[in-house]
């Protein structure tokens, strides 16, 4: 059983052409995976904007944040025939150089605002930019959740030290407090529950490792949002299924009568990213009550199937209005889209 | 400059033949990497004992902890020609089966006691055994540190969900409290500082990931030992050095006038594991004051060079007596050894 999905008629709602580059030497390559929230009667998206310098033939140029450099950024420029360069075949997101990994683009987060949830106007300047040694390769894929009178931003960030989860908060979308790295390398897809459970803050996260294990969704608990423990694996990939290779949480789970409804992404052995759902016990979210056998949403349209990383729908932001779920998502790692679903409809599939 | 190292004349001080198997169907394959501590005037080692079932030709048998099975353990038995079995060439510590990773042995922790620090008598039974879903592949490499009137045990543990760091504590070496998973997959080599710094507990840990990053030593801070945050990368591997591929903390750092002295292990591109040292600022241990250019200790003797994983010295336990450092270590992932060093001597190399 598949729920009805109404993709926004104006999809994609934001493309790289809609966003001004952060610097005259840079160009916006991709828009990805927005966080979503309500603020002062409007809907905000916190979009990941991936940029890189204009590329020259025979060279790869990647930008690195560097507080010691002029303008806070320097360009690593490598000849494509440099023997220390290792461009893995088929891999476009990163490469190895002198035994260290790098990303091909540098991302920042940019606000875009809407009165109706369908039409968004991006801010002319970056909102949240990588800062410090652990964020030198930029900030990505931010979940936004409001509680305790603040918006909490959980974002992925990378550097030569690895891919980690950073935490920041803001009350007014102007001043941001940074709370450091909350999950160390390699970790992504952190999303907070909208309220404490059993006296503790609760988060999804997605550690990735070597040897036994995989790209699974974990839960952790915290007394203060800054320090996390009681890690437990919530859900693993499923061999032969649509989510056989890697899974990770979407945005905050939605509280329903039947339990916490969590939208998550899953990738299969062909690298196709789909969306599905988990239903978790309200009082003990480590208990999985139901899980999508079939994906809720698969890449189908042209803008989802073709792009920088095709066959991909990926969400980390939504807002609700009663039973209506406005799901914002990245399509093909290239553009930002929206879709409307019914929460009741999703629950009926579980 | 290399410090004088006096290997114990009776090395190895413990071998698999010294330890009784935990179960009649099992045999002790290897002794590894002991934690070390003082208790009631004696020196204790908490040794990792790696066991597996007696192997039959054409089959691989691995034990898995399973609370639902008789005796709390079941045997996974796989024909060596099973097409779902993936034995990576040269890799003896684990394998893949049906897309999931497994370890070839199951480890528990076993106490061994000594009055003089040189001669140890192992307990006849396991001291600390894996428990619960995240410890199904056993418990390994435990650091032991005493503060707040308790011994704190940070151990590696593995399951189909990944390799994680578990925390337990004991006051009497009889009753143990478990405090859950403190660092999620993939994480090893957790060691606590012996006192709070700036009001927070402080730990080394070693996350391993994919993409950018590597096997580096990180620091984290905690208000309560259970929940950890403020992760920061302390030291990375060094290309072309003895510690070019992976590094990880030893036991708790030693407080000296010049700073925190931390012994760590490093592996090079040939998989040789050596020991070196870091010197950290007393008040801000994220500041590295000095680091060993050359290893303090390299595998040299027969028992260090030959074994299950040869060319390996690995420490996660020591005790001190004034300037004397009694370093306990695993040699070739097969036997337990000891060596005596002078702390002043080590500092003079830094």
């Amino acid at each position: 059983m598949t729920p009805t999905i109404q993709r926004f008629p104006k999809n994609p709602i934001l493309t790289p052409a809609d966003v001004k580059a952060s610097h005259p030497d840079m160009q916006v390559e991709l828009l990805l995976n927005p966080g979503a929230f309500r603020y002062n009667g409007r809907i905000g998206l916190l979009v990941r904007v991936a940029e890189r310098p204009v590329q020259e033939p025979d060279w790869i140029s990647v930008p690195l944040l560097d507080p010691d450099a002029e303008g806070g950024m320097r360009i690593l420029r490598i000849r494509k025939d440099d023997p220390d360069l290792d461009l893995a075949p088929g891999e476009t997101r990163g490469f190895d150089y002198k035994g260290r990994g790098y990303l091909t683009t540098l991302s920042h987060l940019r606000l875009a605002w809407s009165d109706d949830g369908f039409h968004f106007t991006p801010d002319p300047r970056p909102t949240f930019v990588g800062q410090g040694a652990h964020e030198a390769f930029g900030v990505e894929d931010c979940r936004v959740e409001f509680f305790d009178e603040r918006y909490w931003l959980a974002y992925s960030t990378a550097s030569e030290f690895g891919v980690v989860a950073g935490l920041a908060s803001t009350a007014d979308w102007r001043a941001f407090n940074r709370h450091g790295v909350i999950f160390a390398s390699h970790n992504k897809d952190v999303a907070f529950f909208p309220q404490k459970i059993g006296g503790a803050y609760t988060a999804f996260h997605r550690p990735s490792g070597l040897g036994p294990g995989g790209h699974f969704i974990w839960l952790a608990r915290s007394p203060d949002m800054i320090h996390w423990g009681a890690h437990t694996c919530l859900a693993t990939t499923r061999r032969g299924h649509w989510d056989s290779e890697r899974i990770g949480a979407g945005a905050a789970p939605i509280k329903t009568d039947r339990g916490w409804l969590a939208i998550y992404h899953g990738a299969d052995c062909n690298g196709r990213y789909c969306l599905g759902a988990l239903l978790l016990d309200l009082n003990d979210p480590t208990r999985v009550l139901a899980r999508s056998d079939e994906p809720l949403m698969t890449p189908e349209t042209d803008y989802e199937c073709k792009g920088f990383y095709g066959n991909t729908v990926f969400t980390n932001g939504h807002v609700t209005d009663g039973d209506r779920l406005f799901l914002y998502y990245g399509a093909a790692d290239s553009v930002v889209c929206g879709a409307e679903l019914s929460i009741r409809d999703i629950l009926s599939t579980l």
Side-chain angles (χ1 to χ4, degrees), chain A:
Chain A
M1 194 156 46
T2 314
T4 309
I5 298 166
Q6 293 181 284
R7 286 171 172 82
F8 289 3
K10 294 270 176 70
N11 271 350
I13 55 173
L14 288 171
T15 74
D18 299 320
V19 175
K20 207 163 167 279
S22 65
H23 189 278
D25 296 344
M26 299 282 273
Q27 59 189 28
V28 175
E29 289 282 311
L30 315 164
L31 296 192
L32 301 99
N33 315 336
F37 59 94
R38 293 181 188 277
Y39 177 66
N40 281 354
R42 292 190 296 172
I43 292 176
L45 295 183
L46 194 57
V47 181
R48 170 178 163 200
V49 178
E51 300 177 308
R52 65 174 181 166
V54 181
Q55 299 292 298
E56 309 151 88
D58 305 329
W59 293 83
I60 287 184
S61 303
V62 294
L64 302 173
L65 296 174
D66 182 351
D68 298 331
E70 201 185 312
M73 195 182 75
R74 65 184 171 88
I75 307 289
L76 176 65
R77 198 162 164 273
I78 308 161
R79 271 197 73 93
K80 283 186 181 165
D81 59 3
D82 188 322
D84 280 329
L85 176 67
D86 182 5
L87 288 164
E91 175 54 58
T92 47
R93 302 195 213 202
F95 59 89
D96 279 358
Y97 181 61
K98 293 190 175 175
R100 289 284 162 85
Y102 293 91
L103 305 181
T104 48
T105 57
L106 179 74
S107 294
H108 65 263
L109 304 177
R110 184 87 62 107
L111 280 169
W113 296 104
S114 173
D115 292 318
D116 61 6
F118 296 100
H119 304 86
F120 285 85
T121 307
D123 279 358
R125 276 182 295 275
T127 306
F128 191 85
V129 177
Q131 185 178 298
H134 292 96
E135 301 185 355
F137 297 176
V139 290
E140 308 184 349
D141 298 359
C142 186
R143 278 78 176 171
V144 176
E145 191 59 15
F146 184 80
F147 51 87
D148 294 355
E149 298 174 4
R150 301 190 73 75
Y151 292 88
W152 296 91
L153 282 61
Y155 55 93
S156 294
T157 180
S159 71
E160 62 178 311
F161 307 121
V163 176
V164 302
L167 176 66
S169 65
T170 183
D172 59 9
W173 291 102
R174 288 198 185 88
F176 295 87
N177 289 324
R178 285 176 187 261
H179 307 290
V181 174
I182 55 171
F183 300 112
S185 174
H186 182 108
N187 208 298
K188 284 189 164 187
D189 301 326
V190 173
F192 302 116
F193 283 59
Q195 63 182 66
K196 285 189 182 182
I197 300 171
Y201 297 102
T202 304
F204 296 118
H205 63 110
R206 207 284 297 278
S208 295
L210 313 163
H215 307 277
F216 305 152
I217 299 175
W218 289 61
L219 280 181
R221 291 165 64 81
S222 173
D224 57 10
M225 292 290 290
I226 314 287
H227 305 91
W228 294 84
H231 300 275
T232 176
C233 186
L234 178 72
T236 64
T237 50
R238 296 180 295 186
R239 212 169 180 233
H241 279 62
W242 61 274
D243 50 4
S244 62
E245 298 304 311
R246 45 179 73 207
I247 56 175
I254 300 158
K255 198 173 188 177
T256 75
D257 290 343
R258 287 185 52 202
W260 293 105
L261 174 64
I263 310 291
Y264 73 97
H265 69 262
D268 68 11
C269 56
N270 298 312
R272 184 181 74 151
Y273 277 74
C274 297
L275 302 180
L278 287 161
L279 189 66
L280 310 177
D281 185 88
L282 281 180
N283 298 313
D284 176 7
T286 67
R287 280 189 61 216
V288 177
L289 306 177
R291 181 171 175 180
S292 300
D293 282 329
E294 300 299 325
L296 293 177
M297 185 170 172
T298 56
E300 285 169 14
T301 65
D302 220 44
Y303 51 83
E304 292 161 353
C305 294
K306 291 177 189 164
F308 178 71
Y309 192 89
N311 289 318
T312 292
V313 289
F314 184 103
T315 187
N316 49 292
H318 59 240
V319 297
T320 58
D321 180 11
D323 181 57
R324 298 166 79 193
L325 175 68
F326 295 88
L327 189 79
Y328 298 96
Y329 65 99
D333 273 8
S334 299
V335 292
V336 170
C337 297
E340 188 180 337
L341 294 90
S342 147
I343 294 170
R344 212 167 26 234
D345 212 18
I346 299 173
L347 288 174
S348 73
T349 70
L350 294 171

